[in-house]
Amino acid sequence: MNNERRAKIHSLASGLLKFLSGGTLTVIGLCVLLVLTIGGTVYQVEHGLYQAQKDYFQSWIVLLFGFLPFPGGQLTLWVLTLNLILASAFRLKRTTRALGLHIIHWGLILLLVGSFISYRFGQESQVTLFEGEQANVSVDYRLWELAVWSESDPARMVSAIDFDGLGAGDKFTLGTLPLTIKAAYPNARATANGLEAVKGGNPEQRLPGAILAFPGGAQQLVWAGSEPQALILGGVTYRLALRRIRYPLPFTIRLLQFKKETHTGTSMAKSYESLVEIHQGGASRQVRIYMNHPLREAGLTFYQSSYAEDRGRQSSTLAVVRNVGWWLPYASSGLIFLGMLLHFIVMFYRKVVRHETAD
Amino acid sequence: MTLPSKSRALIAILAPLLLIIACSKAKPRQYSELGQKGTTGAHTEENCPVHANEPMGELKWTTPTGWKIKAATGMRLASFQTGNDLDCSLIPLSGEVGGIPANIRRWLDQMSVNIDAKDLERLCQGVPKSTSKAGIPYQVVDLTPYTGASGESIIVSVSTFSDVMLFIKLKGEKAKVLADRKAFLSLCDSLSR
């Protein structure tokens, strides 16, 4: 009986392993990706790029046509990653002949893992400065945070939490301030009586809002469109803000000068560059940032992104990108190339040897 | 009971994968931030350069003749009932409000008016810059030409300070908005510190 059970489990596991490591699953996965690419492209027309990425490619399940559950991009890519790992571990033979194929598989795995690392740990934000201004944080393009700081704190130590994913009933402490979310709206508008949920709308123009409750029964409304709200609790004046996520920079960046050149006779920008001062650990240095010459510092890359003018004053916007896995696509491409080359050499050698033997 | 070696290998591969992909709930974090001078996240839209001045501070204004002062509730700094029974409000909002183009699009959406990107750019470029008698800068976005004759319309004045954007809104039936336009502009013109 015990042996029968073991045999049954063994047979089930073998069947599952065969399917998970098999080419059938690869083909299914690639077909799903094809559908997602077409669906996501069509979806993007009406909902924008950001929402299409979120709903189709970063999700586990997507509702096609608004009702039909279908594997999302993230689920499909994880399944394909698993498929590649299992294929290399169990399906491909461990022979010299298959060495190239193994390397190609691991190159592809590295490419997928690299994508995940960029998606999960990469950050894209921006810093906008007028000449003479400085910043020690960059601002996310899309994501929101609930931030609290004490007004009397000269260093302005901010405690913050990502707003995405917060819902009614969530309890946590920001700094020394315990709070409960009474209501959270991904998109809201402020009315004379408080907040009102807004349905739909362009995701990139949404302004979230929330109602917070504090010990002792105090309640506070925060809305992304409003200035930081004051709250006095226990003799301390706090400021509460629902705003774009701030990412601390490991240094202070000051815009010294912004230069713009225009094409002769037009107001069209030909080139623009920012002269910035990096201040870190008591030392300062000046750096020019211009097209194709970003500043790379402490794992961050600052690109010249845009500019604005106002009554003779100029502001510069620098895109700030942190991508710890930036080297992975290069490494994976190298691996894939190496694997293909090796496989080609092995196959070529075998063909030549076989040919000579036949002669 | 011991599992077959292949099953063990399968579990050994699946377990770390599941661990990697397991979602982690956001946790509070702390960081030090320079004051308002440090970051200016609002100035991101090139098409409509905005005024960037000092902090708003305490503003004063003169209520137009025939207008009644109402209680300023919620986010409002002040509320008025105009001579034609419309609602006019002064609302200061922090920098994350999308700049003038995004707001124009939002207001037009509220009026059920569609506008393409080129027209929006043209409209933005045509928004005049003014200053009140006391030197407070403002830009008046007049959307009455873009809305239907019988429907609702809106005129908004936008003043961009280093800490907030101040919106003065006059919204309602188009004919009444046009009738109150002059008084509305006099309100904008009366802004002072």
Side-chain angles (χ1 to χ4, degrees):
Chain A
M1 181 66 186
N2 206 15
N3 281 346
E4 265 180 40
R5 211 169 147 191
R6 281 179 65 178
K8 212 173 177 180
I9 292 170
H10 184 249
S11 147
L12 268 173
S14 295
L16 180 67
L17 187 61
K18 200 174 171 189
F19 174 72
L20 288 176
S21 62
T24 313
L25 186 62
T26 315
V27 174
I28 293 172
L30 292 174
C31 289
V32 170
L33 284 180
L34 178 72
V35 173
L36 287 174
T37 307
I38 295 168
T41 308
V42 174
Y43 188 77
Q44 178 235 235
V45 175
E46 225 172 89
H47 297 84
L49 185 64
Y50 175 67
Q51 199 62 26
Q53 278 180 335
K54 206 172 168 189
D55 290 351
Y56 272 75
F57 302 107
Q58 295 169 0
S59 62
W60 291 85
I61 297 289
V62 57
L63 292 177
L64 287 184
F65 311 111
F67 70 94
L68 188 65
F70 195 76
Q74 184 155 187
L75 175 62
T76 311
L77 290 174
W78 275 114
V79 168
L80 281 174
T81 308
L82 180 68
N83 177 246
L84 284 165
I85 294 172
L86 295 177
S88 178
F90 299 113
R91 191 159 56 85
L92 295 179
K93 286 175 184 161
R94 290 186 187 115
T95 58
T96 318
R97 191 181 158 192
L99 183 62
L101 293 176
H102 277 285
I103 294 174
I104 293 170
H105 274 67
W106 282 99
L108 288 168
I109 292 162
L110 197 61
L111 189 68
L112 289 165
V113 170
S115 309
F116 175 74
I117 288 173
S118 295
Y119 157 66
R120 191 73 178 80
F121 304 107
Q123 280 173 6
E124 285 184 12
S125 53
Q126 64 181 5
V127 176
T128 299
L129 297 169
F130 276 86
E131 285 176 344
E133 285 186 349
Q134 60 177 348
N136 67 343
V137 292
S138 60
V139 183
D140 196 282
Y141 289 108
R142 299 181 186 90
L143 300 174
W144 300 94
E145 68 176 12
L146 179 61
V148 174
W149 63 92
S150 163
E151 207 163 57
S152 58
D153 179 8
R156 195 193 269 192
M157 188 54 74
V158 179
S159 293
I161 189 166
D162 293 357
F163 185 71
D164 277 0
L166 289 184
D170 282 351
K171 289 180 184 181
F172 47 89
T173 300
L174 284 181
T176 54
L177 190 64
L179 56 90
T180 307
I181 304 278
K182 292 282 284 182
Y185 309 101
N187 190 19
R189 69 187 187 93
T191 67
N193 302 317
L195 284 178
E196 190 179 279
V198 178
K199 282 186 179 172
N202 186 333
E204 283 160 54
Q205 290 172 4
R206 284 179 187 163
L207 293 172
I211 298 167
L212 313 174
F214 302 92
Q219 289 202 2
Q220 180 70 52
L221 175 155
V222 282
W223 182 52
S226 74
E227 58 185 313
Q229 302 292 302
L231 175 79
I232 302 170
L233 272 181
V236 180
T237 304
Y238 295 96
R239 285 278 169 186
L240 292 152
L242 192 45
R243 59 185 195 174
R244 298 284 189 203
I245 290 182
R246 263 62 169 170
Y247 300 113
L249 301 173
F251 46 78
T252 302
I253 182 166
R254 178 190 295 274
L255 178 65
L256 297 175
Q257 194 184 27
F258 177 77
K259 268 199 271 182
K260 185 185 84 169
E261 279 182 39
T262 52
H263 288 283
T264 316
T266 71
S267 59
M268 201 184 291
K270 184 179 169 189
S271 69
Y272 38 100
E273 68 171 63
S274 299
L275 177 66
V276 298
E277 185 181 64
I278 304 296
H279 188 80
Q280 189 176 22
S284 296
R285 66 190 176 94
Q286 293 184 3
V287 185
R288 277 171 65 225
I289 302 173
Y290 54 104
M291 205 172 280
N292 298 326
H293 287 82
L295 160 69
R296 295 183 197 277
E297 183 82 26
L300 297 166
T301 311
F302 290 72
Y303 299 93
Q304 181 66 61
S305 168
S306 63
Y307 66 93
E309 284 178 15
D310 177 57
R311 297 181 171 195
R313 285 189 82 200
Q314 292 183 310
S315 76
S316 173
T317 297
L318 304 170
V320 186
V321 178
R322 183 196 297 273
N323 185 5
V324 286
W326 65 269
W327 56 275
L328 285 168
Y330 299 101
S332 60
S333 302
L335 266 183
I336 294 167
F337 173 75
L338 186 72
M340 288 173 86
L341 184 71
L342 196 64
H343 191 64
F344 172 76
I345 291 168
V346 168
M347 296 310 282
F348 182 74
Y349 177 75
R350 279 175 58 86
K351 200 172 178 184
V352 169
V353 168
R354 206 180 291 156
H355 194 71
E356 278 176 359
T357 314
D359 287 345
Chain B
M1 190 183 84
T2 52
L3 287 169
S5 60
K6 276 195 174 180
S7 303
R8 273 182 286 168
L10 185 62
I11 291 167
I13 289 170
L14 279 175
L17 272 180
L18 286 173
L19 270 178
I20 291 169
I21 60 178
C23 294
S24 57
K25 193 144 175 108
K27 285 178 187 156
R29 57 184 173 273
Q30 283 204 319
Y31 56 86
S32 169
E33 182 188 16
L34 293 171
Q36 287 294 332
K37 268 287 183 190
T39 56
T40 50
H43 315 294
T44 55
E45 300 195 54
E46 289 174 51
N47 295 335
C48 285
V50 292
H51 299 297
N53 296 293
E54 301 152 3
M56 185 175 81
E58 208 168 308
L59 282 186
K60 293 171 194 160
W61 52 85
T62 308
T63 307
T65 316
W67 286 26
K68 288 177 190 162
I69 299 170
K70 296 197 295 184
T73 51
M75 305 279 175
R76 294 175 173 212
L77 197 62
S79 282
F80 304 99
Q81 186 183 345
T82 72
N84 290 291
D85 284 339
L86 294 185
D87 179 63
C88 178
S89 55
L90 273 75
I91 309 170
L93 301 174
S94 75
E96 319 290 0
V97 290
I100 290 179
N103 278 295
I104 290 180
R105 190 178 281 282
R106 190 163 54 81
W107 295 324
L108 286 171
D109 278 350
Q110 288 170 11
M111 308 285 129
S112 304
V113 176
N114 290 318
I115 189 165
D116 64 24
K118 275 194 172 173
D119 282 340
L120 179 65
E121 197 180 328
R122 219 170 290 139
L123 203 162
C124 285
Q125 281 165 355
V127 174
K129 290 179 179 180
S130 315
T131 48
S132 70
K133 281 174 192 157
I136 305 286
Y138 65 91
Q139 289 177 276
V140 174
V141 181
D142 184 351
L143 298 181
T144 51
Y146 299 88
T147 51
S150 55
E152 278 206 322
S153 199
I154 189 168
I155 304 180
V156 187
S157 155
V158 186
S159 296
T160 305
F161 299 95
S162 63
D163 53 349
V164 292
M165 282 173 94
L166 175 72
F167 295 89
I168 308 179
K169 278 189 190 178
L170 176 67
K171 187 180 168 187
E173 206 180 301
K174 183 171 175 176
K176 290 183 177 180
V177 170
L178 287 170
D180 280 327
R181 191 174 186 279
K182 202 175 168 187
F184 173 83
L185 293 176
S186 76
L187 173 68
C188 302
D189 213 32
S190 71
L191 286 175
S192 65
R193 282 207 181 85

